[in-house]
Amino acid sequence: MPVTKLDITSVTPFAGGQTFGDVGAYNHLKGTAHFSVDPLHPNNTAITDIELAPRDSEGRVHFSADFEMLQPADPDRGRGSMIFDVVNRGRKTILGFNSSPRAMDPGAPLHPGNGFLMREGYTVVFCGWQSDVPADDPDRISLYAPQALNPNGSGLTGRMLCQFQCNEPTNVFLLADRIHDPHPPTDPHEPGATLTVRDHPNGPATDIARDQFQFVRVEDEQVEPDLNHVYLRNGFEPGRIYQLVYTTTGTDVVGVGMASVRDIVSFLKYESEADGNPCAGTIDYAHAFGASQSGRFLRTYIYYGLNNDEKGRIALDGIIPHIAGGMRGEFNLRFGQPSKDVCYIIPELFPFSDVEMTDPVTGASGSLTARLEESGNVPKIMFTNTSAEYWRGDAALVHTDFAAMTDAAESDNVRRYHFAGTQHGTGTFPPETIRQMDALKGQLPYNAVDYSPLQRAQLNNLDAWVRGDAPAPTSRHPSLDDGTGVESYTLREKFERIPSVTFPPEVTRAMRLDYGDETHLGRTVKLPAEQGEEYPAIVSDVDDDGNEVGGIRLPSVSVPLATNTGWNLRHADNGNPGLVIGITGGLAGWTLPFHKSKEDREAAGDPRPAIEERYESRDDYVEQVRQAASDLAAEGYILEEDIEREAEMAASRYDYWMNGNGTA
């Protein structure tokens, strides 16, 4: 059995014992999951370097992971469905479905928000999958993976690439994404180490001389022999994009993270109470949700087809890769950095879609779901993206036949949804001018559209679809066939009509990247990659207000008080103001309200009709929002319970902007 032990170390009442509808109270379980997998089993051989991990006397590979669960205190009163939260860099994300307040501190108590997941009776599971989450951080959920070793027991040696971007001047970076486990150089004086800089991910790179950077840490003008950092003598300039390539020794078998997800889910679904399963007999179906990095993990999990356990049973019945665009990541790669969150340097972007397509440039053919289809166990999948991933340049590749430049066909088990007029992370109102998570400024206030109502309905729709109770609502996204999908660069004139809006000098597009001839083996032998032709960047067309016309339009977009986008340029205070926010880190959009009156907007030269020109009164506006929300609920895109929530939020927005807040 791959889960040899689930060691539960604490059980406490969730949210102080609060009860949730007919389901009642929940418990919060914490512990450690212990795994043992057969590296030679056909359902494990897709894991890169699994055969190089240490084995026990029976030939099995061992690892462990942090585990947590929110479970109905009376499991028989639950829904019988599990939602697995693919934690993002060790942080829990799924409570965003409850509109829970964001916690900057990963150790903060979990907040139940509006209680949606609990009222609906879902069992919520968290388990470590990411091997470079620092093990000494008790507030993050980690995976403790084995190392890949040479026959003599030494660590592997090879090349790796790090990318850096700062928001204020600095001379030093950790050799990792953010605060994750670094990979020190094998030789700190390596003459072949390279550092380059560019201003745009699609633009040319400039070499930095080798004598200008060192593998040391400098703090308070003191040089420390710390090989986990890189130091640049003249400093890293804010906003610019730096890429460092060097040789390192030692790599985890990072792909066992996919086995940890599969096997803990199978354990909780299928194993008995005697085996130590706290969910025995109470879970019929299991779904997974992953956002951003974690959504890219799920796309990688799908691509490798690792959803059948060692007994051939399906683990996940439903999968939601959210805000992942068309990208995957370094989740099954030798010297992979699962934490890496950078555009267009991820190996093996193609294939993007759930249907087989051929790249007209490289001639490569394939489908993201081909291996799942070969296995005979294909889960239901909902690919969801915001406007930000479209403006990054890759989201539309999920549903575009870019050889014919038409909409691609769609698999029976797949839906594709675009949340129109939204940014990478759900917006907060009033709009932020300085982003809370990293103190970064945009040229315009950040996008304020809260898309959690779409996620709540989506999860219930997925569960019903998996159960065979009802088909999921039809896909909705920018379409080349109906004209709602256009190339991003064509929208310059529409946006530049709006005062104070600067359109990106150069849009971003995904690129074909050549990492050498071993990427299919999970190895990158050409670093940095050789850049090839760009893919087309399709986004939703916009109306005269600059609001998107393709995708699922929440009332904030369809009955607007503002223009809402998925792109935002960096502020000059943070460097490189011609670049969109999110080349590293969270992609951002902007929300720019309409003027209150015709006189105000004419004085500003704003062609967008004023609020008073659009709506007869506050009540008129709120009623139009209520009707738009009712229409979405009738189509299945939001829940009935969220209709009045949308109306209440609309009233707050109206009052805020009509009282002169945040307007020009």
Side-chain angles (χ1 to χ4, degrees):
M1 187 167 64
V3 176
T4 59
K5 183 180 181 182
L6 182 57
D7 184 15
I8 302 299
T9 55
S10 72
V11 180
T12 57
F14 172 59
Q18 179 179 338
T19 58
F20 301 93
D22 295 334
V23 180
Y26 266 66
N27 287 330
H28 186 181
L29 290 70
K30 293 185 178 183
T32 303
H34 299 270
F35 300 88
S36 168
V37 299
D38 178 0
L40 304 181
H41 194 287
N43 290 347
N44 294 329
T45 54
I47 299 173
T48 297
D49 291 336
I50 185 71
E51 74 282 1
L52 301 182
R55 308 184 199 182
D56 66 13
S57 60
E58 297 179 349
R60 298 184 72 84
V61 173
H62 292 260
F63 53 97
S64 63
D66 299 329
F67 172 86
E68 294 189 32
M69 181 166 66
L70 300 176
Q71 181 187 35
D74 180 354
D76 290 331
R77 295 170 68 179
R79 189 184 190 94
S81 291
M82 171 204 313
I83 179 67
F84 184 93
D85 182 2
V86 184
V87 291
N88 186 298
R89 297 175 175 81
R91 302 173 69 116
K92 305 174 184 75
T93 66
I94 193 67
L95 291 180
F97 281 55
N98 288 13
S99 295
S100 299
R102 293 179 186 171
M104 293 297 105
D105 177 7
L110 297 180
H111 194 293
N114 63 28
F116 162 74
L117 292 168
M118 289 76 224
R119 286 184 283 106
E120 294 290 334
Y122 289 101
T123 296
V124 182
V125 176
F126 316 91
C127 187
W129 63 267
Q130 182 179 342
S131 63
D132 61 349
V133 171
D136 59 357
D137 187 340
D139 297 324
R140 295 179 190 263
I141 294 180
S142 303
L143 171 74
Y144 309 97
Q147 281 236 323
L149 302 175
N150 290 307
N152 65 1
S154 63
L156 305 182
T157 296
R159 304 278 278 173
M160 70 182 311
L161 182 150
C162 294
Q163 179 162 296
F164 311 112
Q165 186 186 43
C166 57
N167 297 326
E168 57 186 28
T170 184
N171 287 85
V172 66
F173 274 109
L174 182 69
L175 296 178
D177 178 76
R178 308 183 200 192
I179 59 169
H180 291 81
D181 288 342
H183 293 260
T186 304
D187 174 10
H189 305 293
E190 179 187 358
T194 63
L195 182 65
T196 62
V197 62
R198 69 188 74 205
D199 291 314
H200 193 280
N202 298 83
T206 300
D207 293 330
I208 296 174
R210 181 63 183 89
D211 63 2
Q212 295 298 302
F213 66 95
Q214 300 170 263
F215 291 100
V216 296
R217 181 178 180 180
V218 178
E219 188 170 351
D220 297 328
E221 299 184 358
Q222 298 297 313
V223 177
E224 301 177 13
D226 182 346
L227 300 186
N228 289 325
H229 294 78
V230 60
Y231 167 77
L232 181 61
R233 181 182 303 170
N234 294 324
F236 296 97
E237 298 178 59
R240 305 195 77 190
I241 303 166
Y242 295 85
Q243 290 186 358
L244 173 70
V245 177
Y246 62 100
T247 302
T248 190
T249 298
T251 176
D252 291 335
V253 182
V254 298
V256 298
M258 292 185 282
S260 76
V261 171
R262 176 196 65 193
D263 291 335
I264 193 64
V265 168
S266 282
F267 177 82
L268 296 172
K269 278 178 67 176
Y270 299 117
E271 304 307 339
S272 67
E273 185 176 0
D275 294 319
N277 179 9
C279 297
T282 64
I283 299 296
D284 302 311
Y285 301 99
H287 317 308
F289 168 82
S292 191
Q293 175 222 27
S294 308
R296 292 188 289 107
F297 171 89
L298 285 173
R299 284 180 57 84
T300 307
Y301 179 94
I302 291 166
Y303 174 71
Y304 284 102
L306 287 166
N307 198 38
N308 284 356
D309 66 15
E310 290 185 3
K311 293 184 179 180
R313 303 170 299 190
I314 187 171
L316 294 169
D317 303 286
I319 301 179
I320 303 175
H322 178 54
I323 55 178
M327 297 173 66
R328 299 203 296 279
E330 298 188 3
F331 310 119
N332 194 29
L333 183 72
R334 180 178 293 182
F335 300 108
Q337 302 168 83
S339 60
K340 190 181 285 181
D341 182 18
V342 289
C343 295
Y344 317 138
I345 66 170
I346 303 298
E348 293 274 13
L349 279 173
F350 184 86
F352 305 99
S353 183
D354 54 282
V355 293
E356 183 165 348
M357 286 193 279
T358 299
D359 187 319
V361 173
T362 66
S365 294
S367 158
L368 194 71
T369 55
R371 298 186 199 190
L372 286 176
E373 291 162 2
E374 290 172 5
S375 76
N377 285 336
V378 184
K380 307 295 187 187
I381 304 170
M382 292 178 169
F383 296 107
T384 60
N385 286 290
T386 70
S387 309
E389 296 76 51
Y390 281 85
W391 277 90
R392 185 173 63 192
D394 55 278
L397 297 173
V398 173
H399 53 75
T400 300
D401 182 340
F402 49 91
M405 287 304 289
T406 61
D407 292 346
E410 183 178 78
S411 303
D412 291 340
N413 283 8
V414 166
R415 295 289 189 271
R416 306 153 176 166
Y417 300 120
H418 165 46
F419 298 169
T422 59
Q423 69 179 11
H424 194 64
T426 187
T428 58
F429 194 86
E432 294 179 321
T433 55
I434 298 178
R435 192 160 62 180
Q436 184 180 6
M437 71 181 206
D438 56 9
L440 181 66
K441 286 197 286 188
Q443 293 187 15
L444 293 169
Y446 286 100
N447 186 297
V449 179
D450 175 7
Y451 56 71
S452 60
L454 297 175
Q455 295 183 296
R456 289 190 275 273
Q458 179 189 24
L459 180 56
N460 281 2
N461 290 338
L462 178 67
D463 193 53
W465 192 22
V466 163
R467 292 172 177 273
D469 295 341
T474 56
S475 297
R476 189 173 289 184
H477 53 73
S479 165
L480 290 172
D481 292 354
D482 69 12
T484 57
V486 298
E487 289 233 40
S488 55
Y489 74 88
T490 66
L491 296 179
R492 177 182 302 276
E493 184 177 344
K494 287 187 176 182
F495 280 112
E496 289 187 339
R497 295 171 59 245
I498 305 172
S500 76
V501 172
T502 300
F503 193 78
E506 184 179 356
V507 298
T508 52
R509 296 183 177 89
M511 292 177 286
R512 294 167 175 87
L513 299 171
D514 179 7
Y515 284 91
D517 57 4
E518 297 183 18
T519 51
H520 65 291
L521 301 174
R523 302 193 287 264
T524 51
V525 296
K526 186 185 292 185
L527 289 175
E530 181 180 324
Q531 295 184 356
E533 290 191 32
E534 297 174 343
Y535 293 97
I538 306 300
V539 301
S540 172
D541 198 0
V542 298
D543 59 23
D544 289 341
D545 295 323
N547 281 315
E548 294 183 337
V549 298
I552 307 170
R553 289 158 41 101
L554 283 163
S556 294
V557 178
S558 63
V559 189
L561 295 173
T563 300
N564 306 282
T565 75
W567 59 272
N568 198 342
L569 290 174
R570 296 175 61 89
H571 195 280
D573 289 353
N574 297 123
N576 204 356
L579 185 63
V580 294
I581 293 172
I583 298 308
T584 58
L587 299 158
W590 50 264
T591 288
L592 190 63
F594 306 140
H595 290 271
K596 293 188 297 180
S597 66
K598 180 179 180 180
E599 293 75 20
D600 289 344
R601 64 102 173 167
E602 286 181 342
D606 193 335
R608 302 172 301 163
I611 295 173
E612 290 179 350
E613 293 179 280
R614 296 166 182 269
Y615 309 110
E616 294 180 0
S617 64
R618 181 182 189 270
D619 289 346
D620 174 46
Y621 167 67
V622 172
E623 185 53 39
Q624 288 191 44
V625 166
R626 184 178 287 110
Q627 183 58 55
S630 298
D631 292 344
L632 286 175
E635 295 173 302
Y637 295 113
I638 68 170
L639 301 175
E640 292 284 340
E641 70 178 59
D642 277 316
I643 295 174
E644 284 307 310
R645 285 199 188 104
E646 285 293 304
E648 291 168 7
M649 289 191 296
S652 296
R653 290 194 299 268
Y654 187 95
D655 291 342
Y656 182 82
W657 277 321
M658 288 301 285
N659 287 332
N661 296 300
T663 56

